[in-house]
Amino acid sequence: MDILATALPALGEAFSLILQPQQIMYLVLGVVLGLSVGVFPGLGGIAGLSLVLPFMFGMDPVSGLALMVGLIAVVPTSDTFASVLMGIPGSSASQATVLDGFPMARKGEAARALSAAFASSLFGGLLGASVLTFFILIARPLVLAFGTPEMLMVTVLGLSMVAVMAGRLPLKGLGAACLGLLVGSIGEAGAGGSLRMSTYDVPYLIDGIKLVVVGLGIFAVPEIIGLLRHDQSIARDAKLGAGWTQGVRDWWQNIWLSIRCSIIGVIVGVIPGLGGSVVDWIAYGHTVQTAKDKSRFGSGDVRGVIGPESSNNAKEGGGLVPTLIFGIPGSGSMAVFIGGLALLGIDAGPQLIQNNLDVTYTIVWSLALANVVGAGLCIALSGGIAKLTTIRFTLLAPYLFMMIAFAAFQSGQSLGDLVSLFSIGVLGIFLRRFDWSRPAFLIGFVLSDQVENFANNAHQIASFKFRLGMAQGLEYVASPIVIGIALVTIVSVIIGLRQAKQIMSEGDVHSGQKRAPLIFLLAMLAYTSVAWIDAARISLVSDKIFPMTVATVGIIALLALLVRMMRAPEDDLVFADREAAGEDFHAPHGLWVTLGWFAGLLVLSSLLGFILALAIFMVAFFRIRGGLGWVRTLVMSAAGIAAICFLADTLHRDFPPGLLQEFVRLPWPLV
């Protein structure tokens, strides 16, 4: 009763807050942004949140939460467009939807597939919000039992899940996670202030690489480059056909399947690190296993759409459980969401539940309301979005390059942000090409500070406890909760190792020649070794132990992969290479030439400033790469520049300056 007496007023206050006109406006804006981002393959919740993250500075917390939650909630709904209409997974959480959604579209049943998917997504999202409400009700007494050792073990659980579940080769997942942890430790150490993989000669690195830059570089840049290389529309035929009401009836006839898969989504979302690359396959497998007639799966069975779509929206509600209660991201998008909370002055974790219950329930109400608004908008805008996918991606790519460069600069207001964006983007391209888990890398990056801080604090307190007595020390470090989480971690690793071959977070990547994958592995091994040597030179033990431990684990994993490469034939999974076969192999444009366009924009920005560079880049791109006439080139370039200037002026943001601005005083927006 005490729990209800505390929670019900907070629920009512949060409901009144989110229904204010200003908050509704931000929620709808977030939904529209999420819809816009989710339509394009690869630009999922991580890239979408990374785009709005720089604008969280100074925003009202409730407005900022409405904006971010609105975006998060609708991406798993809107990415269905790409899966059904294009046959391309809109995100890692919609891979299974392609198996039956795209065949339905080819048979003229796209409308039926989309309406079934939207109804399933709406139900799954609302169920996820309901579960989140229940968890928060019981979380307040639960979190009081979690001290530093318990939080450390939850963090380790999240890391272990990512490492073994994100890829066909668990060692690759482990190596990617270790690399993310090491990149996240660049800069001043939190405990003693020692510099790690940085120098005072490069001030930018002292504060570390920003989360916004890493999110955009690892996910957005590789996918944009990959689509741009093919120089065609995303979908050649985007007809919707009939069957909107039939799709809703299909969902209702399979309501128990939707309930079961939604529960699966919530459970997977609650476990830190599993996330979207796993949930849809688990739900799809359950759908097939429990079906009496399995003959139509893979050729256009609507149940193959309902199951995965119910689970991937419910996953967002489940993913917010560890994110809000423990401050541990349940997925890559939740990792960026934690960064957004910090910018709003909100610390995710036990303190949020204990001291800011109204803020917590604001997130819950926003999630539920955003699912309703998102599903309605998806249905209303389906016709227009279907036509958008028939536009050549070459005509859309310059605007995406413009947005990610502008967003990356806002994270630190430094040209170093653009250099980091390009460098991390190249790393993301290689991780994608050679089938290394990018979600594992990102979550490792996000959790690096937390793992190190929890480990240092636990070590200091445990040392004091053991000095008081062995019994007190063991009681602190080996509490029932710690032992329980440790057992769950071990079981998760064992299960993950068994299922790793069925999990393809980067899709089905064919194997190729040995040379390129081997060179990339050696480059990762070289960086990890240098990071170990750099950490070993630090005098303070508290600052060196974390990077040395992570680097040691990474070196062992990479050496094991190296041994396998030396012994395995060329068709082994360890030599996965997108450039060896498949769409990237047959792409009409080369990888480095395509990437050179983006590099050109960034280099020109450092010399001439962003707007002048953008004008030159867009005119050259539309004329040379797009093959447009002068009139269309100038109109489309002017439209892009006007849009970004309007956005910057509205949000009071600056553009990246160049060397020219140091010598010549120019008016806005050329400054």
Side-chain angles (χ1 to χ4, degrees):
M1 292 301 295
D2 290 339
I3 294 175
L4 289 176
T6 306
L8 290 178
L11 268 170
E13 184 178 350
F15 190 63
S16 62
L17 281 174
I18 199 62
L19 287 183
Q20 297 295 323
Q22 181 180 355
Q23 318 313 337
I24 292 290
M25 181 191 71
Y26 277 107
L27 182 74
V28 173
L29 176 60
V31 168
V32 171
L33 289 174
L35 178 62
S36 305
V37 168
V39 168
F40 297 104
L43 298 182
I46 297 174
L49 279 175
S50 298
L51 285 171
V52 302
L53 209 58
F55 311 119
M56 291 294 108
F57 290 104
M59 281 190 69
D60 172 66
V62 178
S63 301
L65 287 173
L67 179 64
M68 290 196 295
V69 175
L71 192 151
I72 290 174
V74 79
V75 167
T77 304
S78 59
D79 64 13
T80 307
F81 284 111
S83 301
V84 172
L85 297 175
M86 314 170 199
I88 304 171
S91 68
S92 61
S94 63
Q95 295 172 357
T97 306
V98 175
L99 299 183
D100 286 290
F102 190 53
M104 289 181 69
R106 295 179 67 180
K107 292 189 296 185
E109 296 181 332
R112 180 188 176 191
L114 288 173
S115 61
F118 296 151
S120 303
S121 296
L122 173 59
F123 178 79
L126 293 177
L127 182 66
S130 302
V131 170
L132 180 59
T133 303
F134 171 75
F135 264 95
I136 290 172
L137 284 174
I138 64 172
R140 289 171 67 89
L142 178 64
V143 296
L144 293 176
F146 275 72
T148 302
E150 288 80 10
M151 296 299 295
L152 175 60
M153 286 309 303
V154 172
T155 309
V156 172
L157 171 63
L159 285 173
S160 67
M161 299 296 285
V162 169
V164 298
M165 296 294 285
R168 293 179 292 180
L169 291 176
L171 286 174
K172 279 191 171 182
L174 179 59
C178 288
L179 182 63
L181 286 164
L182 290 174
V183 173
S185 68
I186 291 176
E188 282 187 333
S194 303
L195 291 185
R196 299 183 298 207
M197 295 299 289
S198 57
T199 171
Y200 287 114
D201 295 331
V202 185
Y204 177 81
L205 292 177
I206 295 175
D207 293 329
I209 301 176
K210 307 298 186 294
L211 174 60
V212 176
V213 174
V214 174
L216 290 172
I218 285 293
F219 284 93
V221 172
E223 298 301 335
I224 294 172
I225 295 295
L227 288 168
L228 183 57
R229 292 178 59 191
H230 294 86
D231 197 19
Q232 61 185 20
S233 61
I234 299 176
R236 292 178 181 147
D237 188 3
K239 294 180 180 179
L240 288 176
W244 283 106
T245 56
Q246 180 59 43
V248 177
R249 287 197 296 268
D250 289 330
W251 168 77
W252 181 250
Q253 291 169 1
N254 294 278
I255 183 65
W256 290 110
L257 171 65
S258 185
I259 291 173
R260 294 196 305 272
C261 290
S262 296
I263 294 173
I264 290 173
V266 169
I267 294 173
V268 172
V270 167
I271 301 173
L274 283 181
S277 60
V278 180
V279 63
D280 62 327
W281 290 115
I282 296 176
Y284 188 82
H286 171 77
T287 302
V288 175
Q289 290 169 358
T290 56
K292 294 181 179 179
D293 179 15
K294 301 178 174 63
S295 61
R296 291 184 294 136
F297 284 102
S299 59
D301 194 316
V302 72
R303 292 171 297 178
V305 174
I306 293 172
E309 288 301 315
S310 297
S311 66
N312 65 24
N313 266 60
K315 168 187 66 67
E316 298 304 324
L320 280 168
V321 171
T323 303
L324 297 179
I325 296 176
F326 301 115
I328 304 299
S331 64
S333 59
M334 290 297 108
V336 185
F337 183 72
I338 288 179
L341 291 178
L343 296 179
L344 293 172
I346 302 171
D347 293 325
Q351 296 299 318
L352 178 62
I353 307 296
Q354 295 172 33
N355 303 328
N356 300 101
L357 196 57
D358 56 337
V359 173
T360 308
Y361 278 123
T362 298
I363 297 174
V364 177
W365 284 118
S366 299
L367 182 65
L369 189 57
N371 273 284
V372 175
V373 175
L377 278 177
C378 283
I379 293 174
L381 300 175
S382 293
I385 290 175
K387 294 177 182 178
L388 182 65
T389 59
T390 61
I391 300 174
R392 284 174 59 200
F393 191 76
T394 306
L395 305 182
L396 300 176
Y399 302 118
L400 296 176
F401 281 146
M402 172 185 73
M403 285 302 302
I404 63 175
F406 176 66
F409 177 75
Q410 303 310 314
S411 64
Q413 297 281 308
S414 168
L415 288 177
D417 294 320
L418 301 184
V419 176
S420 296
L421 174 66
F422 184 78
S423 302
I424 298 295
V426 171
L427 174 61
I429 288 171
F430 282 126
L431 291 175
R432 175 182 178 271
R433 172 178 173 177
F434 298 119
D435 197 26
W436 291 74
S437 174
R438 288 179 290 168
F441 173 90
L442 180 63
I443 296 181
F445 175 85
V446 171
L447 291 180
S448 59
D449 284 342
Q450 297 183 45
V451 173
E452 183 173 13
N453 291 335
F454 288 144
N456 283 334
N457 293 339
H459 176 264
Q460 292 175 7
I461 298 174
S463 299
F464 174 75
K465 295 280 188 181
F466 275 111
R467 283 196 295 269
L468 295 177
M470 179 64 69
Q472 289 178 284
L474 289 176
E475 183 182 359
Y476 180 72
V477 301
S479 68
I481 296 178
V482 170
I483 295 173
I485 298 175
L487 291 175
V488 172
T489 302
I490 295 171
V491 171
S492 300
V493 170
I494 295 173
I495 294 175
L497 289 172
R498 290 181 177 179
Q499 296 183 352
K501 292 182 179 180
Q502 282 75 46
I503 300 170
M504 296 179 288
S505 61
E506 300 291 353
D508 187 11
V509 184
H510 298 278
S511 300
Q513 297 181 350
K514 291 186 175 183
R515 182 179 178 183
L518 178 60
I519 292 175
F520 181 66
L521 173 64
L522 291 175
M524 288 188 64
L525 184 59
Y527 179 84
T528 308
S529 301
V530 171
W532 189 95
I533 295 171
D534 177 78
R537 293 175 177 174
I538 297 174
S539 57
L540 290 175
V541 176
S542 60
D543 289 350
K544 69 191 296 185
I545 188 66
F546 173 73
M548 285 188 67
T549 302
V550 172
T552 300
V553 174
I555 289 172
I556 293 173
L558 295 173
L559 287 175
L561 284 170
L562 181 61
V563 171
R564 177 166 176 170
M565 282 187 172
M566 300 300 291
R567 295 180 177 180
E570 287 188 347
D571 60 352
D572 190 86
L573 292 175
V574 75
F575 295 114
D577 186 355
R578 290 181 183 272
E579 298 295 326
E583 291 186 355
D584 286 2
F585 176 74
H586 297 289
H589 297 280
L591 170 63
W592 300 112
V593 174
T594 305
L595 184 62
W597 283 100
F598 185 44
L601 171 62
L602 301 183
V603 171
L604 284 174
S605 297
S606 66
L607 296 175
L608 305 177
F610 187 66
I611 293 299
L612 288 175
L614 189 62
I616 296 173
F617 166 77
M618 284 194 159
V619 170
F621 190 95
F622 285 131
R623 278 290 294 167
I624 300 173
R625 186 64 180 266
L628 302 183
W630 277 109
V631 175
R632 288 188 65 191
T633 294
L634 294 176
V635 170
M636 294 181 69
S637 300
I641 294 172
I644 198 67
C645 288
F646 174 78
L647 180 64
D649 183 57
T650 302
L651 299 173
H652 305 290
R653 299 296 170 184
D654 296 324
F655 293 117
L659 290 176
L660 177 64
Q661 280 71 18
E662 294 186 9
F663 300 101
V664 182
R665 291 181 60 86
L666 296 173
W668 191 90
L670 304 179
V671 292

